[in-house]
Amino acid sequence: MVVGRTDVLVLAILGTLAEKPLHGYEIRKRLGSQLGPFRALSYGSLYPALKRMVAADLIGVNDDGPDPASSRRSRIVYRLTEAGKAQLQEELASAGASAWEDDTFDVRFSMFEHTDAATRLRILEGRRSRLSERIEEISVGLRAVRERHDAYTAELQRHGLERVEREVEWLDKLIENERAATSGDDDPASAG
Amino acid sequence: MVVGRTDVLVLAILGTLAEKPLHGYEIRKRLGSQLGPFRALSYGSLYPALKRMVAADLIGVNDDGPDPASSRRSRIVYRLTEAGKAQLQEELASAGASAWEDDTFDVRFSMFEHTDAATRLRILEGRRSRLSERIEEISVGLRAVRERHDAYTAELQRHGLERVEREVEWLDKLIENERAATSGDDDPASAG
DNA sequence: TTCGTCATGTAATGGGTTACATGATTAC
DNA sequence: GTAATCATGTAACCCATTACATGACGAA
């Protein structure tokens, strides 16, 4: 396979294109308006990725939009092929361990609208247990740091721990919501 | 110059070695017990970096510890050279724009104990204004996301915004502390 | 004696950015 | 007309990881 199996960038592009066909510049803008690893994606990454995806037949190209008379040449609109749609569906239905790593999680989460409830729950719970591990690690580190008494390092550690703990609380709310929605149907994501 | 001017890894190693001479494996452990970009530094990065630093005369090598009779060969202890100490002091006294980027900030912050009060304040304030910019960016993105109504993406964005806002609050407490300490002297970092 | 950890290192690879290069379109 | 933004792309580079390779030491 030309395109790496769980290439996060490819997944993000696939997800962006799922809504509607877009040209490269616009894809970057959409990705840039979201959190996660592609907040400031460079064209030096984007365009080669699009090329690879075309070569792998995940996306196809179309000249410009629906109005050829309104000038504006040299704008390449990408749309999902059937293979691309299938690939996206396949990835959305699976939730490997990478789905709860920092970078991948954000990308996966932003596609929850198109993910089935069971997979959403698996990802949220996987993420949660990943963060629990990290809390344990940081706690151990905190004790070690305190022994070498360094007020600033300890404070940084303490703040980092707090941040992760808060993310766990956030996940707990989301998981609760998902569970409620699964039994009673309806009402996704409103843990604000 | 062989070693890049503000190589964060080099700075982190310099800072770790400032306390006392250590061998590579131990440097990695210390770095690993802290937050920041070197939580899980690989040897493939560490040892070449140490080599570069030796070549640049920032650190020097010594065979093992003070007890040659207690066996244990092949352990290379690194210590700061005068040039290394000078380089560290120079970097600790300066606070370029990179000092408030995500990765660098944590490393710089963990060395605050050895940084003068004025530079500490500059870094904290720089970081704060950096995050203010980000809050503005995310807020704009949030409005854009809400227009395309996607409950999950919006929730992710909202949570990200909240996280950054909390970090700003944390910084505010630290800045306040630093200001109080500068006028009255004493008592660093206790914003818990 | 074998397993886990300590300890050091190199080569290949990966996944991104930066710098460079070009040109059309839009707003002032 | 000219500056900003839209729009696409390549080549060089950076900085890390992974996989590989080696070997000593301590404990079961």
Side-chain angles (χ1 to χ4, degrees):
Chain A
M1 190 176 290
V2 178
V3 176
R5 269 238 297 101
T6 27
D7 186 322
V8 192
L9 177 54
V10 167
L11 178 59
I13 294 173
L14 249 21
T16 306
L17 254 25
E19 200 207 325
K20 66 171 174 179
L22 297 168
H23 58 278
Y25 195 89
E26 179 65 22
I27 291 171
R28 184 187 186 258
K29 258 174 48 185
R30 303 249 171 158
L31 254 21
S33 76
Q34 283 174 230
L35 265 14
F38 308 120
R39 297 246 349 249
L41 183 67
S42 68
Y43 296 116
S45 298
L46 177 61
Y47 288 112
L50 289 169
K51 272 203 153 182
R52 284 197 313 271
M53 290 170 75
V54 170
D57 190 43
L58 294 173
I59 56 179
V61 294
N62 285 69
D63 270 283
D64 212 344
D67 188 12
S70 71
S71 68
R72 190 179 284 280
R73 278 156 305 284
S74 75
R75 217 166 161 215
I76 302 167
V77 175
Y78 298 92
R79 65 178 69 243
L80 294 187
T81 60
E82 288 310 312
K85 285 178 197 171
Q87 170 92 7
L88 179 60
Q89 285 311 312
E90 198 191 307
E91 296 214 44
L92 286 179
S94 73
S98 70
W100 34 82
E101 293 308 310
D102 292 319
D103 285 352
T104 315
F105 176 76
D106 280 2
V107 172
R108 293 297 307 249
F109 188 91
S110 68
M111 293 181 199
F112 264 20
E113 203 87 42
H114 314 107
T115 307
D116 63 284
T119 306
R120 288 201 297 258
L121 211 45
R122 259 207 322 288
I123 292 175
L124 291 173
E125 283 167 347
R127 177 69 178 163
R128 196 197 185 286
S129 79
R130 184 72 191 74
L131 292 183
S132 294
E133 285 170 31
R134 193 169 303 170
I135 285 175
E136 189 47 41
E137 283 165 30
I138 299 177
S139 300
V140 171
L142 233 179
R143 285 192 284 276
V145 158
R146 277 209 241 264
E147 272 156 37
R148 295 185 234 123
H149 10 56
D150 177 341
Y152 287 107
T153 306
E155 174 59 22
L156 183 63
Q157 222 76 358
R158 194 201 58 70
H159 178 244
L161 181 61
E162 195 181 291
R163 178 181 22 213
V164 181
E165 282 169 347
R166 257 196 253 273
E167 193 172 336
V168 168
E169 284 168 34
W170 178 68
L171 285 169
D172 282 338
K173 277 185 211 152
L174 289 169
I175 289 170
E176 201 185 325
N177 264 26
E178 290 291 341
R179 291 236 172 86
T182 304
S183 38
D185 206 38
D186 259 323
D187 192 45
S190 27
Chain B
M1 192 176 291
V2 178
V3 175
R5 270 239 295 102
T6 27
D7 186 319
V8 192
L9 176 54
V10 167
L11 178 60
I13 294 173
L14 248 21
T16 306
L17 254 24
E19 199 206 327
K20 66 171 175 180
L22 297 167
H23 59 277
Y25 196 87
E26 179 66 22
I27 292 172
R28 184 187 185 257
K29 257 174 49 184
R30 304 247 171 158
L31 255 22
S33 75
Q34 284 173 230
L35 265 16
F38 309 120
R39 296 247 351 246
L41 183 67
S42 68
Y43 296 117
S45 298
L46 176 61
Y47 288 113
L50 288 169
K51 271 203 154 182
R52 285 197 312 272
M53 290 170 76
V54 170
D57 190 43
L58 294 174
I59 57 178
V61 293
N62 286 67
D63 269 285
D64 213 342
D67 187 14
S70 72
S71 71
R72 189 178 287 278
R73 280 157 304 282
S74 75
R75 217 165 160 218
I76 301 168
V77 176
Y78 298 92
R79 65 177 69 243
L80 294 187
T81 60
E82 289 309 311
K85 285 179 197 170
Q87 169 92 9
L88 179 59
Q89 284 312 312
E90 198 192 305
E91 297 214 43
L92 286 179
S94 73
S98 71
W100 33 84
E101 293 307 309
D102 290 321
D103 284 354
T104 314
F105 176 75
D106 280 2
V107 173
R108 294 296 310 248
F109 188 90
S110 68
M111 294 181 198
F112 263 20
E113 204 86 43
H114 315 108
T115 307
D116 62 285
T119 306
R120 288 201 297 259
L121 212 44
R122 257 204 328 284
I123 292 175
L124 291 173
E125 283 168 346
R127 177 70 178 163
R128 195 196 186 286
S129 80
R130 184 71 191 75
L131 292 182
S132 293
E133 285 170 33
R134 193 170 304 169
I135 285 176
E136 188 46 41
E137 283 165 29
I138 298 176
S139 300
V140 171
L142 234 180
R143 284 193 284 276
V145 158
R146 276 209 242 263
E147 272 156 35
R148 295 186 234 122
H149 12 55
D150 177 341
Y152 287 107
T153 306
E155 175 59 22
L156 183 63
Q157 221 76 359
R158 195 202 57 71
H159 178 245
L161 181 61
E162 195 181 290
R163 180 183 19 216
V164 181
E165 282 169 345
R166 259 196 250 272
E167 193 172 336
V168 168
E169 283 169 34
W170 179 68
L171 286 169
D172 282 339
K173 279 185 209 153
L174 290 169
I175 290 170
E176 200 184 325
N177 265 26
E178 290 291 340
R179 291 236 171 86
T182 305
S183 36
D185 206 38
D186 259 323
D187 191 45
S190 28

